[in-house]
Amino acid sequence: MIACFIRYEIEPYDHAKFETYSLGWKGAITRSGATPIGYFAPHEGSLTTAYGLYFIPSLTAYEEYKRKMAIDRDAQANRDFAARDRFIRREDRIFLKLVPGSDRI
């Protein structure tokens, strides 16, 4: 299993839009073959950093996931919302694997 961490740089006073955006992904992520863990909006400290996290079985599965997400109506609507309202300044993805045994530290 691979974890996809998404780091967002968002507009500091558009947290409500980011939260709406976050909720818009759950069905599309699941339908496309990944397991959503959650989205994390600023609470204390930085007002511009947010995260998203989901699990996917492999990088091969990620390629299929991207194909499905490209044609998912809810995913397209969510991407359009973000593009139209411009509350996301930057988005970076990193794929990580769990170090065996480290989940029991």
Side-chain angles (χ1 to χ4, degrees):
M1 194 63 70
I2 295 171
C4 178
F5 282 88
I6 309 165
R7 181 188 174 278
Y8 297 93
E9 181 182 335
I10 63 173
E11 289 295 330
Y13 300 103
D14 280 342
H15 294 177
K17 288 180 184 176
F18 181 77
E19 290 177 15
T20 298
Y21 171 83
S22 299
L23 294 172
W25 286 117
K26 186 174 184 178
I29 289 171
T30 303
R31 281 190 302 275
S32 297
T35 303
I37 302 305
Y39 281 78
F40 302 84
H43 177 70
E44 181 75 25
S46 171
L47 294 176
T48 60
T49 304
Y51 295 93
L53 172 62
Y54 62 85
F55 289 135
I56 193 132
S58 66
L59 289 177
T60 302
Y62 179 67
E63 293 304 317
E64 179 66 10
Y65 167 86
K66 288 192 310 185
R67 187 192 68 72
K68 289 179 179 178
M69 287 292 263
I71 60 174
D72 187 279
R73 284 188 286 169
D74 292 339
Q76 185 61 53
N78 220 28
R79 284 189 296 271
D80 291 347
F81 166 54
R84 181 184 64 247
D85 285 35
R86 303 180 63 88
F87 53 90
I88 297 173
R89 295 177 179 174
R90 181 181 172 138
E91 179 179 328
D92 297 307
R93 284 174 205 281
I94 186 169
F95 295 89
L96 303 171
K97 64 179 183 174
L98 181 66
V99 174
S102 68
D103 57 331
R104 300 193 194 335
I105 292 177

